[in-house]
Amino acid sequence: MDSTDYEHGTVPADQRKSWISIAAVWIAIGIDLSGAFLGIALASGMAFWPAILATVTGSLLLGLLAMACAYVGAATGLSTAMISRAVFGKIGGAVLALALAISLLGWFAVQAGFFGSNAQIAFTELTGLELPVQLFTAIGGVLMVLTALWGYRSISRLSTLAVPLLLILLVVGVIVAFAMHGASGLDAPVVATITFGGAVSLVMGIFILGVVSAPDMARWAKTPKQAMAAGFVGFFFGNSIIIVVAILLARVMNQSELMTIYFALGLGVIAVVVLILAQWTTNTTNIYSAALSFASINGRLNRRTLTIIGGALGIVIAVAGAADFFVPFILAIGVVIAPYGGVYLAAYLTGRRSPRWSAGATVPTVDGWAIAAWAVGILVALATTNPADGLGFGWFSLTTISALDGLVVGFVVYLALLPMRRRELPEHVESAADPATSAAAGPAADPEEARA
């Protein structure tokens, strides 16, 4: 199998894929056990309809943002980490790529922990034996790393298999639950412990890292328009389906573990296979994107070697109990990583014809203005996050969604600083090959513009 994933350059036109296959990858990523965990948390901390509305709102915002981020990936053909190099410069881009890689590695560890927890429940239900959760976490992590070694093509094939099975399982589970228990549990009173804005932030936070790193998959799209279609469908439906189903099942069944719910419905054996497959597809992409981010730091770094090293480290962190810090972690991701998405969207919008979007272009060592915009976005996200909801100060409120606040402010600040940035850092017109990107291939221009 071809293992070339063009981590140091652009994806050639003849290797690009249809939007349906890319959307399937994102849907498979979205339908995972962390989404189920969040849905159950929302069901226990909010009234039913506000929880559903928060889920739809957060997923809709993710879908719209994903369209923009996916466009940049398809138009440039570059990975998210390589885009950070174009935006922040060589050293600045390496710092951002490192931050992305660490975030993705942490998310891999959290997801592997969820896998281990649910696999342990399933094993105990089926055999009556209790084995340490760490064993299941380690086995799951190894499977995910092995799939990631083969790159995007392997992930796409696994997702194509998983998505239909996942959708069938979720729909059947809801139908059986309502048939057995009715709908009375939907209106059961709860103590409101999660605000609406906090809920939307959580819904966005669980997949905001996926949105920001959307170019890792979108660069495989045939055209930017197809990437945008895949982004909206993949992120809106992929993110909302599992959360809505988890809210419904948690309310109707009055349970707090998805695997336990499916065993109570008599669907345990099917759920074991399908939900484990779901977590497998999701977490494979996390370690894949983490390796891409690490590889972008230096042209001599090999993605497959980094996948093995990063995967081993992620498994160790997962076994140590990373899943216990799930909610604080996704809120921290929203605060730190979301503003970067706003910065690179603004950078591409205002300078997409610049040669710096070519993988081999010369770029500044550090673009301080872009880093300043990112830093301001982080500070605003911290300032608008309610301490009761997670990492933040709660000094004031903008949209009530802190992850969105940071992204929008990063975008706006970059535009506001643009005149000063242009005076200090004029666009480079040369495109001499850089050692870190010597494997580059293909133009950075929008493929559709090139045909015009």
Side-chain angles (χ1 to χ4, degrees):
M1 182 182 295
D2 185 1
S3 62
T4 300
D5 267 59
Y6 313 103
E7 57 265 37
H8 298 299
T10 60
V11 177
D14 63 350
Q15 294 295 312
R16 302 288 181 110
K17 312 296 180 182
S18 71
W19 76 270
I20 295 176
S21 69
I22 297 172
V25 170
W26 278 323
I27 291 174
I29 295 170
I31 301 176
D32 68 347
L33 295 172
S34 60
F37 183 94
L38 177 58
I40 291 169
L42 294 180
S44 63
M46 301 179 72
F48 174 73
W49 287 111
I52 295 295
L53 181 59
T55 300
V56 173
T57 301
S59 299
L60 178 61
L61 290 171
L62 282 175
L64 295 173
L65 291 171
M67 290 176 69
C69 295
Y71 181 92
V72 177
T76 63
L78 299 174
S79 68
T80 310
M82 290 298 292
I83 287 171
S84 72
R85 181 182 179 277
V87 175
F88 293 102
K90 294 178 185 177
I91 295 177
V95 170
L96 197 283
L98 186 61
L100 277 172
I102 292 173
S103 298
L104 286 160
L105 200 59
W107 194 225
F108 170 83
V110 169
Q111 296 274 17
F114 284 132
F115 177 95
S117 171
N118 282 270
Q120 182 195 44
I121 292 171
F123 185 83
T124 302
E125 291 279 357
L126 292 172
T127 68
L129 301 175
E130 288 195 20
L131 296 179
V133 66
Q134 292 85 354
L135 175 63
F136 297 98
T137 298
I139 292 172
V142 170
L143 289 175
M144 296 158 190
V145 171
L146 289 175
T147 306
L149 279 174
W150 294 108
Y152 174 83
R153 299 165 185 83
S154 179
I155 296 169
S156 179
R157 290 187 180 94
L158 187 60
S159 299
T160 300
L161 170 66
V163 168
L165 296 176
L166 291 169
L167 295 177
I168 291 170
L169 176 69
L170 295 176
V171 171
V172 170
V174 171
I175 292 172
V176 174
F178 276 103
M180 291 176 61
H181 298 276
S184 60
L186 298 182
D187 297 322
V190 297
V191 177
T193 58
I194 304 176
T195 65
F196 182 81
V200 176
S201 288
L202 286 168
V203 171
M204 293 186 68
I206 201 171
F207 217 176
I208 193 68
L209 189 55
V211 168
V212 173
S213 60
D216 290 344
M217 302 297 168
R219 65 200 180 104
W220 291 87
K222 291 181 178 179
T223 67
K225 285 184 179 178
Q226 288 202 27
M228 292 171 72
F232 182 80
V233 172
F235 280 87
F236 176 70
F237 290 102
N239 194 62
S240 59
I241 290 170
I242 184 64
I243 300 176
V244 169
V245 168
I247 292 171
L248 288 168
L249 292 178
R251 284 292 194 138
V252 171
M253 301 292 293
N254 193 29
Q255 292 281 350
S256 60
E257 290 283 355
L258 192 64
M259 196 67 76
T260 302
I261 289 172
Y262 272 97
F263 272 100
L265 294 173
L267 300 170
V269 176
I270 299 173
V272 168
V273 176
V274 178
L275 290 177
I276 283 178
L277 187 60
Q279 200 66 3
W280 189 354
T281 57
T282 297
N283 223 14
T284 291
T285 59
N286 289 326
I287 195 63
Y288 170 75
S289 288
L292 283 179
S293 296
F294 277 125
S296 73
I297 296 174
N298 188 290
R300 292 184 294 273
L301 296 176
N302 178 269
R303 181 190 65 81
R304 299 188 74 186
T305 301
L306 291 168
T307 299
I308 295 172
I309 296 172
L313 179 59
I315 290 169
V316 170
I317 297 172
V319 168
D324 296 338
F325 303 96
F326 166 64
V327 171
F329 185 76
I330 62 172
L331 286 168
I333 286 176
V335 166
V336 176
I337 301 299
Y340 163 60
V343 173
Y344 83 66
L345 287 175
Y348 185 76
L349 176 67
T350 57
R352 62 178 181 164
R353 298 185 185 279
S354 166
R356 65 188 164 124
W357 297 102
S358 169
T362 299
V363 296
T365 301
V366 177
D367 188 328
W369 300 110
I371 292 176
W374 180 36
V376 173
I378 292 173
L379 290 174
V380 170
L382 284 170
T384 60
T385 299
N386 188 328
D389 293 329
L391 178 68
F393 308 120
W395 291 340
F396 57 89
S397 177
L398 294 178
T399 66
T400 74
I401 307 164
S402 56
L404 182 60
D405 292 341
L407 190 146
V408 171
V409 169
F411 182 91
V412 171
V413 170
Y414 184 92
L415 295 181
L417 295 176
L418 194 60
M420 290 181 285
R421 178 190 176 283
R422 282 177 171 165
R423 282 197 297 270
E424 183 172 312
L425 297 169
E427 295 294 347
H428 291 259
V429 295
E430 63 269 41
S431 57
D434 183 273
T437 56
S438 57
D446 184 330
E448 294 187 346
E449 286 184 1
R451 291 196 297 269

